[in-house]
Amino acid sequence: MTGPLPLAGFTIGVTAARRADELIALLERKGASVMHGPALRIVPLPDDATLHAATLELVSSAVDVVVATTAIGFRGWFEAAEGWGLAARLHRALEGAVVLPRGPKAKGAVRAAGLVEAWSPSSESNAELLQYLLRLGVAGKRIAVQLHGEPLPDFVGSLVAAGADVVEIPVYRWEPPANSGPLLRLIDAVVAGSVDALTFTSAPAAASVLRSAPDSAALVSRLRRDVLVVGVGAITAGPLVAAGIPVVQPARSRIGSMVRELAVELPSRALRLRIASRDMEMRAQAVVVDGELRPVAPAPMAVLRTLVAARGRVVSRQELLAALPSGGEEHAVEAAVGRLRTALGAPQMVCTVVKRGYRLAMEPV
């Protein structure tokens, strides 16, 4: 018998703006419930005076090296140049340069522009790209660095310190989302313990989430202890790691690889118990009982979590009442316990202890 989908019963938060639909579809295909709160929006700069000025500066003299950090940015640069009537001059300026795309997607954009790459880092990281350039020797060379939404002070600063003349190309910029409501709802759900994992696909998005939280200390505490935080790569993870938040990263910086890593890591962290001769695995919105996924509504799930935390000890009705999301009177506890037994499909897993309360049918610790 096949078991449940690996992410069934889990809630995953998505902070991406670009390619969010693709990421959400991959997660839902593996059974996850998804909360989407875009942390940023990308603002292209085809009419931006800064980009226009940087392009004119670049084509004014020979270029030795061009660094393409993102496919969308490199394509956008050439599209903007086309609109200004500068595309031919830009192509001539770059065709004799050493072209270094950061990864396969940027490489594709470079080739689409009619250029040929000289090398690309296997790690798809700016750090490896920088090391390659410094080994190559950059003193006296003119280098164009296409930015990816925010400045790269360490990257550019290292090149300048090594003697390079660097022209920064700001092709697009990140701005706060036009509607912050979805992001704030996602942050609230994380702090409330309703989200099992939070995904990030860019460093600016990670910084934006930390900056946007009404109670940043509560968010960071939750992310450090209870939520699986997954970043698509080391650059993305940077602001989170700096805040002391552990970040799981895939071996390859790809959305698909990130989802596969998540689908392995999150179920492996689920709590597993033996109750009334049955195997039970806890998930956020469901339990898996003897390999069968059984959805559990919020009130009975709150009761179950409290009983699980007691590890077989008796929990009073008053304690369970305090755990219910909407409170109520003692009969609300009885109703929630009844619904829990039905959801589990094995009423004997939850025992009634007369005049005292309820406990799970497991040996007390």
Side-chain angles (χ1 to χ4, degrees):
M1 182 180 70
T2 59
L5 291 169
L7 296 179
F10 291 115
T11 297
I12 314 296
V14 169
T15 61
R18 190 170 65 89
R19 300 181 66 194
D21 291 345
E22 177 186 348
L23 175 54
I24 291 169
L26 289 171
L27 291 168
E28 290 179 339
R29 203 172 299 155
K30 291 188 179 294
S33 296
V34 177
M35 284 193 72
H36 184 208
L40 298 166
R41 61 189 172 106
I42 298 174
V43 180
L45 304 180
D47 301 318
D48 187 84
T50 303
L51 176 58
H52 189 216
T55 304
L56 283 173
E57 178 189 353
L58 186 73
V59 301
S60 65
S61 58
V63 181
D64 298 299
V65 181
V66 58
V67 175
T69 59
T70 64
I72 184 175
F74 199 80
R75 284 196 301 268
W77 185 18
F78 268 81
E79 289 168 3
E82 183 75 36
W84 297 323
L86 292 173
R89 289 181 65 188
L90 180 58
H91 188 276
R92 285 196 299 272
L94 300 186
E95 64 183 352
V98 174
V99 182
L100 302 175
R102 184 169 61 88
K105 293 175 188 173
K107 185 188 301 182
V110 164
R111 292 178 179 178
L115 302 171
V116 179
E117 77 281 357
W119 180 82
S120 185
S122 58
S123 66
E124 304 174 34
S125 72
N126 284 340
E128 188 178 355
L129 198 52
L130 177 61
Q131 290 170 3
Y132 176 85
L133 277 167
L134 295 177
R135 286 196 303 268
L136 194 66
V138 298
K141 295 188 180 297
R142 194 159 184 259
I143 301 176
V145 178
Q146 174 246 311
L147 304 178
H148 55 79
E150 61 176 3
L152 295 172
D154 294 339
F155 189 94
V156 171
S158 297
L159 294 176
V160 171
D165 173 22
V166 180
V167 180
E168 298 177 75
I169 308 296
V171 181
Y172 55 86
R173 64 174 177 262
W174 301 104
E175 289 191 355
N179 176 10
S180 62
L183 175 59
L184 293 176
R185 285 192 290 273
L186 175 57
I187 291 172
D188 286 346
V190 171
V191 173
S194 303
V195 173
D196 299 285
L198 195 59
T199 62
F200 294 92
T201 57
S202 74
S208 176
V209 168
L210 296 176
R211 188 171 55 246
S212 300
D215 186 343
S216 59
L219 175 66
V220 169
S221 176
R222 184 68 77 173
L223 294 178
R224 286 174 179 171
R225 295 183 293 108
D226 305 315
V227 178
L228 176 65
V229 180
V230 187
V232 76
I235 294 174
T236 295
L240 301 162
V241 172
I245 298 167
V247 182
V248 171
Q249 303 168 39
R252 301 185 68 207
S253 298
R254 294 282 190 282
I255 285 179
S257 299
M258 180 175 71
V259 172
R260 286 191 291 273
E261 185 76 19
L262 180 57
V264 171
E265 184 71 18
L266 190 54
S268 74
R269 297 186 176 202
L271 178 64
R272 291 170 174 81
L273 301 166
R274 184 76 174 167
I275 303 172
S277 301
R278 293 173 180 265
D279 293 316
M280 186 182 79
E281 176 186 314
M282 293 286 294
R283 300 191 176 188
Q285 302 172 6
V287 293
V288 179
V289 178
D290 287 343
E292 180 183 355
L293 184 74
R294 304 192 69 89
V296 183
M301 180 59 83
V303 168
L304 179 59
R305 290 191 183 283
T306 305
L307 293 173
V308 166
R311 290 295 198 276
R313 291 186 294 103
V314 177
V315 180
S316 71
R317 288 176 173 80
Q318 284 301 317
E319 289 178 79
L320 293 176
L321 182 61
L324 291 180
S326 56
E329 300 179 357
E330 283 199 13
H331 68 80
V333 172
E334 295 169 6
V337 169
R339 293 171 65 196
L340 174 59
R341 285 169 168 156
T342 300
L344 294 174
Q348 67 273 23
M349 294 175 71
V350 182
C351 302
T352 300
V353 181
V354 178
K355 296 184 179 180
R356 293 181 59 197
Y358 300 92
R359 70 175 186 86
L360 293 180
M362 57 190 291
E363 289 297 319
V365 176

